[in-house]
Amino acid sequence: MSEEKQTEYVTLVSCDGFEFKIKRSAAILAGAIKNMLDPNSRFQEGLTGRCEFENINGLVLDKVCEYLYYNEKHKDAKDMPDLDIPPELCLELLMAADYLNEREREKETNSMRRRYDKGRDFLATFWRFR
Amino acid sequence: MASPPSSPPLAILPQRPSNKRQRSGEVTDFFSSDPAPVFSSDDWQDASIEQYEAPRRKRTFRGPWWKSCKRWEPATMLTSESHVMSLARNLDSGVWIDNDDSIALSSSLSTLLNGPTTTDTSYQLTFCPDWQQKYPAPLLSQAELQAQGLVESCLEQGTQYVDMSNLGLEKLDGSIIQPIRAFSTVPMACDRDFRPQLKILLSMNSLQTLPKEIWELNHIVHLGLRQNRLETLSPNIAKLVDLQSLDITGNKIRWLPWELLSLITPSRSLAMFHVEHGNPLLMPFEGLPEFPSCIRELAIGHHQDFVQTKPETNSGHATEMQRWLCRIGETIHAGKLYGEGLSNSHCIPSKPWLVGCSEMARFSSDGTLANGSPIAPSLVPLEQRSLKAYLVDDLPQPQRISCSRVGSLFELSLRRVTALISTEQLRKYVPDLPEGPFQRALTEAEHVQADGGRTCSVCGQLYILPRAEWMEFWHVHRSGATAGINGHLLPFLRRACSWRCGYTAFCNIRSAYGRYAAKCTINSFP
């Protein structure tokens, strides 16, 4: 697929069915999403411009998108305001960020997914405790 | 004739408790809000006529009031299982969340009641039986207790010289150091200021880390850390702006924090510091201990002839090393020419000069070394004593990096998580977090917290995981050492919060050198 045919917006889908349409330029700042959307990688996502995350729920993915725009906006800024992360989301966001990093590093989905699922179980335990 | 419907039975009203005083000799309700008798001679029991027959026992109270509340034994609380359960729920309600004040309170209370080392539950602790297992009061070792005594006596006598050397300390709790903050002196003459000039000696111990509280004592003038087991020196040492002399010989220190340079500039007072003896410092070459004698010749002015007159034949690094020596000679020479900060007869500039630099190592967002990055100075194995470095003039142009200064999502959320809950708690509640980088990042965050936070050396932002680091070799002049020229090359580790920051810093170094080449004067330190 040539460069011109790429859409300007891409769709990120959470596990509970929420769809987020964000700019491609912002989305590819996250290495994992960039890999998924790379037309040369022969992932299906690269052709359709639609990434589905089976492990990230809508709330967290919303925050991820906010971060991507925040990142793009303050690309060249020296003093940027802090991204507001609500306390109840921060641990899940940390897990999601780790997951996205993993994808970037290994490009091997199964083991990561298992790890992420493991992480989610702990999260559930954790919030029950809280 | 229909009878009227029967009215419902009368409700059985609970019997109202009588307002009359109980005449029995026993007081059954121990939890009553009746004020306790104030004086020992007060009539505790009712002094009615009936009571006159019975012999009255005079009650005496001895000790502080809280010790007289004997009925609130923790043992009785523990027997009722349901009570413990309901309390256990409350413990997580956020009231007892890791809070310095509450821990300090409990420790001070337990100290007040029982002395610091006993494990007896105190008055405060009876409310939550497992309080102490959760947040143990800092148990101080014998050596630490001794140190605490020393600090207290110094504070009482107003001595500014706190000598805690040779106590066999293996760790130093922050609560020992903290009281010194309150120290203030009364000046003898009017023109003196109230700022104390603290001298703190911790030499000849076995310390591996220092508490972060020590970096908050910004009136330290002398800090002696000789003969310990320190592996790194915290960048927060830059907060000690009044520091005049620092002794860190005989440790396991491999590099100094870059932030320390801000104390060595002539505008600051740190003039004496002893580093190189007994520390395995990372150097660009193995054979640098003989450095000073070579530089002496150079300083006289023959540095241009040095390469011809004194060829090093047996070492592979000979030519490279000679270039380094020449550069140092040049800096000394330039200092002599421009008369900048000359120290007595040796003609050495007192300003630090950047001589060389290692390549910038890049880390990915979770703290592991990025693909294609050169080796990070902090990851150099212990047995290796040298690190590949370049002179400033042939420093390779770093790759153009266009990514933003914004921290990664991982970094941002890690910062938020560690601000909310301590890593220890996180590990306890979430026992098996995913292994690998995640765990390492948490450990790192723990270190950073214990150390009192990190700021980027380029943009000054707070961060946890460094994204770029490199070693800078500075030629630093120090007085107070042994005879001769004692300017030495010292390694300073510099860290940045993003690749962009690292790139900016590298470009600055190069342009500063360009200015030097043009004007024959190095002024690369801001």
Side-chain angles (χ1 to χ4, degrees), chain B residues 420-454:
Chain B
L420 284 170
I421 29 174
S422 73
T423 340
E424 206 175 303
Q425 262 179 310
L426 188 66
R427 279 187 214 276
K428 193 176 169 191
Y429 287 127
V430 193
D432 29 356
L433 288 161
E435 291 92 23
F438 199 93
Q439 287 280 3
R440 258 179 283 134
L442 278 184
T443 320
E444 187 79 9
E446 211 168 358
H447 283 307
V448 172
Q449 258 185 344
D451 204 32
R454 266 181 191 167

Coordinates of all heavy atoms in Angstrom, one line a residue, chain B residues 420-454:
Chain B
L420 N 1.5 7.3 44.6 CA 0.3 6.9 45.3 C 0.6 5.9 46.4 O 0.1 6.0 47.5 CB -0.8 6.5 44.4 CG -1.5 7.5 43.6 CD1 -2.4 6.9 42.5 CD2 -2.3 8.4 44.5
I421 N 1.2 4.8 45.9 CA 1.5 3.7 46.9 C 3.0 3.4 46.8 O 3.6 3.5 45.8 CB 0.7 2.4 46.6 CG1 0.4 2.4 45.1 CG2 -0.6 2.4 47.3 CD1 -0.2 1.1 44.6
S422 N 3.5 2.9 48.0 CA 4.9 2.5 48.0 C 5.0 1.2 47.2 O 4.1 0.4 47.2 CB 5.4 2.4 49.4 OG 4.8 1.2 50.0
T423 N 6.2 1.0 46.7 CA 6.5 -0.2 45.9 C 6.3 -1.4 46.8 O 5.9 -2.5 46.4 CB 7.9 -0.2 45.4 OG1 8.3 1.2 45.4 CG2 7.9 -0.7 44.0
E424 N 6.7 -1.3 48.1 CA 6.6 -2.4 49.0 C 5.2 -2.8 49.1 O 4.9 -4.0 49.1 CB 7.1 -1.9 50.4 CG 7.7 -2.9 51.3 CD 8.2 -2.2 52.5 OE1 9.1 -1.3 52.4 OE2 7.7 -2.5 53.6
Q425 N 4.3 -1.9 49.3 CA 2.8 -2.2 49.4 C 2.3 -2.9 48.1 O 1.6 -3.8 48.2 CB 2.1 -0.9 49.6 CG 1.7 -0.6 51.0 CD 0.9 0.7 51.0 OE1 1.4 1.7 50.4 NE2 -0.2 0.7 51.6
L426 N 2.8 -2.3 47.0 CA 2.3 -2.8 45.7 C 2.7 -4.3 45.6 O 2.0 -5.2 45.2 CB 3.0 -2.0 44.6 CG 2.5 -2.3 43.2 CD1 1.1 -1.9 43.0 CD2 3.4 -1.6 42.2
R427 N 4.0 -4.6 46.0 CA 4.4 -6.0 45.9 C 3.7 -6.9 46.8 O 3.5 -8.0 46.6 CB 5.9 -6.0 46.2 CG 6.8 -5.7 45.1 CD 8.2 -5.9 45.5 NE 9.2 -5.0 45.0 CZ 9.7 -5.1 43.8 NH1 9.4 -6.1 43.0 NH2 10.5 -4.1 43.3
K428 N 3.3 -6.3 48.0 CA 2.6 -7.1 49.0 C 1.2 -7.5 48.5 O 0.7 -8.6 48.6 CB 2.5 -6.3 50.3 CG 2.1 -7.2 51.4 CD 2.2 -6.4 52.7 CE 1.5 -7.2 53.8 NZ 1.3 -6.5 55.0
Y429 N 0.5 -6.5 48.0 CA -0.9 -6.7 47.5 C -0.9 -7.5 46.2 O -1.9 -8.2 46.0 CB -1.6 -5.4 47.4 CG -2.0 -4.7 48.6 CD1 -1.6 -3.4 48.9 CD2 -2.7 -5.4 49.6 CE1 -1.9 -2.8 50.1 CE2 -3.0 -4.8 50.8 CZ -2.6 -3.5 51.0 OH -2.9 -2.9 52.2
V430 N 0.0 -7.2 45.3 CA 0.0 -7.8 44.0 C 1.2 -8.7 44.0 O 2.3 -8.3 43.5 CB 0.0 -6.7 42.9 CG1 -0.3 -7.3 41.6 CG2 -0.9 -5.6 43.2
P431 N 1.2 -9.9 44.5 CA 2.4 -10.6 44.8 C 3.2 -11.0 43.6 O 4.4 -10.9 43.6 CB 1.9 -11.9 45.6 CG 0.4 -11.9 45.5 CD 0.0 -10.6 44.9
D432 N 2.6 -11.4 42.5 CA 3.4 -11.8 41.4 C 3.1 -10.9 40.2 O 2.3 -11.3 39.3 CB 3.3 -13.3 41.1 CG 2.0 -13.8 41.4 OD1 1.2 -13.1 42.0 OD2 1.7 -15.0 41.2
L433 N 3.7 -9.8 40.2 CA 3.6 -8.9 39.0 C 4.4 -9.5 37.9 O 5.3 -10.3 38.2 CB 4.2 -7.5 39.4 CG 3.4 -6.7 40.3 CD1 4.3 -5.6 41.0 CD2 2.3 -6.0 39.6
P434 N 4.2 -9.2 36.7 CA 4.9 -9.8 35.6 C 6.4 -9.5 35.8 O 6.8 -8.4 36.2 CB 4.4 -9.1 34.3 CG 3.5 -8.0 34.8 CD 3.1 -8.3 36.2
E435 N 7.2 -10.5 35.4 CA 8.7 -10.4 35.6 C 9.3 -9.5 34.5 O 8.6 -8.9 33.7 CB 9.3 -11.7 35.5 CG 9.0 -12.6 36.7 CD 7.8 -13.5 36.4 OE1 7.6 -13.7 35.2 OE2 7.2 -14.0 37.4
G436 N 10.6 -9.4 34.5 CA 11.3 -8.7 33.5 C 11.3 -7.2 33.7 O 11.5 -6.8 34.9
P437 N 11.2 -6.4 32.7 CA 11.3 -5.0 32.8 C 10.4 -4.4 33.8 O 10.8 -3.4 34.4 CB 11.0 -4.5 31.4 CG 10.7 -5.6 30.5 CD 10.9 -6.9 31.3
F438 N 9.2 -4.9 33.9 CA 8.3 -4.4 34.9 C 8.8 -4.4 36.3 O 8.8 -3.4 37.0 CB 7.0 -5.2 34.8 CG 5.8 -4.5 35.3 CD1 5.0 -3.8 34.5 CD2 5.5 -4.6 36.7 CE1 3.9 -3.1 35.0 CE2 4.4 -3.9 37.2 CZ 3.6 -3.2 36.3
Q439 N 9.3 -5.5 36.7 CA 9.9 -5.7 38.0 C 11.1 -4.7 38.2 O 11.3 -4.1 39.2 CB 10.3 -7.1 38.3 CG 9.2 -8.1 38.5 CD 8.6 -8.0 39.9 OE1 9.1 -7.1 40.7 NE2 7.7 -8.8 40.2
R440 N 11.9 -4.7 37.1 CA 13.1 -3.9 37.2 C 12.8 -2.4 37.4 O 13.4 -1.7 38.1 CB 14.0 -4.1 36.0 CG 15.2 -5.0 36.3 CD 16.0 -5.3 35.1 NE 15.4 -6.2 34.2 CZ 15.3 -6.0 32.8 NH1 15.8 -5.0 32.3 NH2 14.7 -7.0 32.1
A441 N 11.7 -2.0 36.6 CA 11.3 -0.6 36.7 C 10.8 -0.3 38.1 O 11.1 0.7 38.7 CB 10.2 -0.4 35.7
L442 N 10.1 -1.3 38.7 CA 9.6 -1.1 40.1 C 10.8 -0.9 41.1 O 10.8 -0.1 42.0 CB 8.7 -2.2 40.5 CG 7.3 -2.1 40.1 CD1 6.5 -3.3 40.6 CD2 6.6 -0.8 40.5
T443 N 11.8 -1.8 40.9 CA 13.0 -1.8 41.8 C 13.7 -0.4 41.7 O 14.1 0.2 42.6 CB 14.0 -2.9 41.4 OG1 13.2 -4.0 41.1 CG2 14.9 -3.1 42.5
E444 N 13.8 0.0 40.4 CA 14.4 1.3 40.1 C 13.6 2.4 40.8 O 14.2 3.3 41.5 CB 14.5 1.5 38.6 CG 15.2 2.8 38.2 CD 16.7 2.5 38.2 OE1 17.2 1.4 38.4 OE2 17.5 3.5 38.0
A445 N 12.3 2.3 40.7 CA 11.5 3.4 41.3 C 11.7 3.4 42.8 O 11.7 4.5 43.5 CB 10.0 3.1 41.0
E446 N 11.8 2.2 43.4 CA 12.1 2.1 44.8 C 13.4 2.8 45.2 O 13.4 3.6 46.2 CB 12.2 0.6 45.2 CG 11.7 0.2 46.5 CD 11.6 -1.3 46.6 OE1 11.9 -2.0 45.6 OE2 11.3 -1.7 47.7
H447 N 14.4 2.5 44.4 CA 15.7 3.2 44.7 C 15.6 4.7 44.6 O 16.1 5.4 45.5 CB 16.7 2.8 43.6 CG 17.3 1.4 43.9 ND1 17.8 1.0 45.1 CD2 17.3 0.3 43.1 CE1 18.2 -0.2 45.1 NE2 17.9 -0.7 43.9
V448 N 14.9 5.2 43.6 CA 14.8 6.6 43.3 C 14.0 7.2 44.5 O 14.4 8.3 45.0 CB 14.0 6.9 42.0 CG1 13.7 8.3 41.9 CG2 14.9 6.4 40.9
Q449 N 13.0 6.5 45.0 CA 12.2 7.1 46.1 C 13.1 7.1 47.4 O 13.1 8.1 48.1 CB 11.0 6.1 46.4 CG 9.8 6.7 45.9 CD 8.6 5.9 46.3 OE1 8.7 4.7 46.7 NE2 7.4 6.4 46.2
A450 N 13.9 6.1 47.6 CA 14.8 6.1 48.8 C 15.8 7.2 48.7 O 16.3 7.6 49.7 CB 15.4 4.7 48.9
D451 N 16.1 7.5 47.5 CA 17.2 8.5 47.2 C 16.7 9.9 47.2 O 17.5 10.9 47.3 CB 17.8 8.1 45.9 CG 19.2 8.6 45.8 OD1 19.9 8.6 46.8 OD2 19.7 9.0 44.7
G452 N 15.4 10.1 47.2 CA 14.9 11.4 47.2 C 14.6 12.1 45.9 O 14.7 13.3 45.7
G453 N 14.4 11.3 44.9 CA 14.0 11.8 43.6 C 15.1 12.1 42.7 O 16.2 12.3 43.1
R454 N 14.8 12.1 41.3 CA 15.8 12.4 40.3 C 15.3 13.5 39.5 O 14.2 13.6 39.1 CB 16.0 11.2 39.4 CG 17.0 10.2 39.8 CD 17.1 9.1 38.8 NE 17.9 8.0 39.3 CZ 17.9 6.8 38.8 NH1 17.1 6.6 37.8 NH2 18.7 5.9 39.2

